């Protein structure tokens, strides 16, 4: 949140977020502005504690989740609830609820390295700090995706939207210091603006905007019976338009009011039977440009409502005698709204038909491409078959050549052996020949010398 309204000693105040600074603005004749916190990196939320002091929670520039208490002497006392060493972590979308001595802090945890994955976390501090990771939200929409409220016994109730194959809105409650198993409230192509309210009988009232073909404002109730299980009633459509914004449930004099913005106009639908049926939507006189959906806190309670810059809430006419009800049909809107719905629906159908034609063309193109690829696959199979046949032939030839080669190598070894034997024989013959030559030479020398000597004698 970036704005919280409060009232102290009959004076109206407003906590505002301005450029990393949280200021306290006083409305009225003696208006003024006081800077309270100068290191806020995110939005904030505020609540009164048991001592009726204002407590503010926010994410600081130093990567801390901080609880700041404004004491009676107008001094801020800060307490670090948790510190993040990882600089890629960013925290926002705060929600602060204080019940008795329990301080509940809800927030979104972003990781810049994985921006599509958002964690919805819950910190509870009552002397010790406990951290609950409620859900992994695969959703990057900017609009608020969760709403939390507490009943008269201090029990927390939460609805949140996440993206799976489609978008779903889930409900869970905090009992015995733990969150119960989630229950699917609705499922659609798109879901936004969840809002929850608990009445004095602990019945749970939820409204939201969902879209399949056209945007519809939906309502659903969970009755107490067999707490905490209870039972869910059927979904009710309160309005249908592409311009529905920021629905909010209020309980006024035991009647359930659902108020929203549509075509720059406030509309409301009222149920006087606990949410079993609603009146047909009707316009309010005030203009949305003068109001915004904010949180208003008091020392003993809090609520989300439409309020103007001076802190005054959107007025509701509690005289409902002239408001007609229709329990069987919720499409009994004004004629122009019905015409708008039919016109929008026709455009949606026309767009769907165009998309269908486009998809059929793409399908035909893909079918043609698949046919060509199948032909190519058949050709490839034939080529592969031929390749395998040729490979078999070449393998046989290679085997034959290997056999011939082996035979040649064997013959070559034999020839090498024969050559070596011949070489040995040649060496022997050469040796004998040399011996004979030497012997003949000696004989000649002897005959020369000994022959001459004999003649002399």
């Amino acid at each position: 949140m970036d704005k919280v309204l409060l009232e102290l000693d009959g004076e109206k105040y407003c906590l505002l977020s301005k450029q990393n600074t949280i200021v306290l603005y006083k409305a009225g004749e003696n208006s003024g502005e006081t800077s309270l916190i100068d290191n806020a990196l995110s939005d904030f939320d505020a609540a009164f504690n048991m001592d009726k002091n204002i407590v503010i929670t926010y994410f600081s520039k130093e990567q801390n989740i901080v609880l700041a208490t404004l004491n009676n002497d107008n001094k801020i006392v800060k307490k670090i609830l948790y510190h993040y060493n990882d600089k890629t972590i960013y925290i926002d979308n705060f929600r602060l609820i204080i019940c008795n001595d329990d301080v509940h802090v809800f927030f979104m945890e972003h990781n810049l390295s994985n921006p599509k994955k958002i964690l919805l976390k819950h910190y509870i501090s009552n002397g010790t700090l406990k951290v609950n990771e409620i859900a992994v939200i695969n959703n990057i929409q900017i609009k608020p995706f969760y709403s939390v409220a507490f009943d008269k016994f201090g029990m927390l109730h939460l609805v949140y939207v996440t993206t799976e194959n489609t978008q779903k809105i889930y409900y869970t409650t905090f009992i015995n210091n733990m969150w119960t198993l989630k229950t699917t409230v609705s499922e659609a192509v798109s879901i936004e603006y969840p809002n929850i309210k608990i009445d004095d009988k602990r019945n749970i009232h939820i409204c939201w905007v969902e879209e399949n073909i056209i945007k519809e404002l939906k309502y659903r109730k969970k009755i107490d019976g067999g707490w905490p299980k209870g039972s869910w009633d059927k979904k009710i459509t309160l309005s249908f338009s592409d311009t529905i914004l920021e629905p909010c449930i209020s309980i006024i004099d035991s009647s359930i009011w659902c108020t929203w913005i549509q075509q720059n106009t406030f509309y409301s639908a009222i149920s006087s039977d606990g949410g079993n049926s609603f009146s047909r939507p009707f316009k309010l006189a005030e203009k949305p440009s003068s109001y915004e959906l904010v949180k208003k806190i008091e020392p003993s309670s809090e609520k989300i409502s439409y309020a103007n810059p001076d802190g005054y809430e959107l007025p509701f006419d509690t005289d409902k005698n002239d408001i007609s009800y229709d329990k069987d049909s919720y499409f009994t809107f004004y004629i122009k709204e019905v015409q708008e719905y039919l016109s929008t629906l026709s455009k949606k159908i026309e767009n769907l038909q165009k998309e269908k034609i486009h998809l059929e063309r793409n399908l035909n193109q893909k079918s043609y491409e698949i046919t060509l690829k199948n032909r190519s696959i058949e050709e490839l199979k034939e080529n592969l078959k031929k390749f395998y046949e040729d490979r078999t032939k070449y393998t046989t030839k290679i085997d034959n050549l290997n056999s011939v080669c082996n035979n040649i190598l064997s013959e070559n070894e034999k020839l090498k052996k024969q050559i070596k034997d011949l070489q040995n024989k040649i060496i022997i013959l050469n040796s004998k020949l040399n011996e004979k030559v030497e012997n003949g030479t000696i004989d000649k020398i002897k005959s020369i010398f000994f022959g001459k000597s004999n003649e002399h004698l």
Side-chain angles (χ1 to χ4, degrees), residues 20-48:
N20 299 331
T21 302
I22 300 174
V23 300
L24 179 64
Y25 173 78
K26 181 180 179 182
E29 295 180 358
N30 299 321
S31 63
E33 187 175 288
T34 304
S35 178
L36 301 179
I37 296 166
D38 60 1
N39 66 336
L41 192 63
S42 67
D43 62 347
F44 72 95
D45 196 11
F48 282 101

Side-chain angles (χ1 to χ4, degrees), residues 216-278:
E216 298 180 59
L217 175 57
K218 294 286 189 178
Y219 165 87
R220 197 172 188 186
K221 179 181 69 172
K222 179 177 181 288
I223 60 176
D224 185 7
W227 185 264
K229 295 181 180 179
S231 61
W232 288 93
D233 207 344
K234 65 180 181 180
K235 292 187 287 185
I236 297 175
T237 300
L238 302 181
S239 180
F240 39 87
S241 172
D242 282 341
T243 60
I244 298 173
L245 299 172
E246 299 181 337
C248 179
I249 294 178
S250 303
I251 299 177
I252 304 172
D253 296 336
S254 300
S255 295
I256 301 168
W257 288 63
C258 185
T259 306
W260 66 95
I261 299 172
Q262 182 175 325
Q263 292 182 339
N264 198 31
T265 303
F266 276 123
Y267 283 88
S268 283
I270 306 175
S271 174
S272 60
D273 56 6
N276 295 323
S277 62
F278 278 82

